[in-house]
Amino acid sequence: MSNYTYLLRCADGSLYCGWTNDLDKRLSAHNAGTASKYTRSRLPVEMIYAEESDTKCDAMRREYAIKHLSREEKEALILSDSNILKA
């Protein structure tokens, strides 16, 4: 089973990062208001980025790393513009 780290764009323009093993189900849960307190008040949300990991642990590590990126770095990741990303 694959695991994924993902980014959502909320209705207010903010970004939310999480991990899951089922992207469609997780997106539905977010839009139903049952996945996270943060996204519940910022509906609807749109999945704008996802990357696959081999293990749950890898997906969770990647989520942690992405959450520590600046907004600019997250936007660059979404656009896959590695020139803006910090080393």
Side-chain angles (χ1 to χ4, degrees):
M1 177 177 281
S2 295
N3 295 278
Y4 303 89
T5 305
Y6 63 89
L7 279 167
L8 303 176
R9 189 174 312 276
C10 301
D12 67 357
S14 63
L15 299 174
Y16 175 86
C17 183
W19 77 272
T20 185
N21 57 20
D22 187 332
L23 288 171
D24 293 330
K25 184 176 178 182
R26 189 67 173 164
L27 180 60
S28 294
H30 276 291
N31 278 314
T34 60
S36 136
K37 279 186 179 181
Y38 184 84
T39 59
R40 185 178 311 148
S41 62
R42 293 166 172 84
L43 298 175
V45 298
E46 169 189 20
M47 188 159 308
I48 55 172
Y49 178 81
E51 62 184 49
E52 188 172 4
S53 297
D54 291 329
T55 67
K56 173 183 171 181
C57 189
D58 289 343
M60 292 174 76
R61 277 193 196 111
R62 186 65 175 140
E63 175 192 16
Y64 180 83
I66 290 172
K67 284 184 174 184
H68 286 84
L69 296 177
S70 68
R71 169 82 183 213
E72 182 181 78
E73 291 169 324
K74 290 174 188 171
E75 294 287 355
L77 178 64
I78 293 162
L79 297 174
S80 298
D81 185 355
S82 61
N83 294 328
I84 297 175
L85 294 176
K86 294 179 183 175

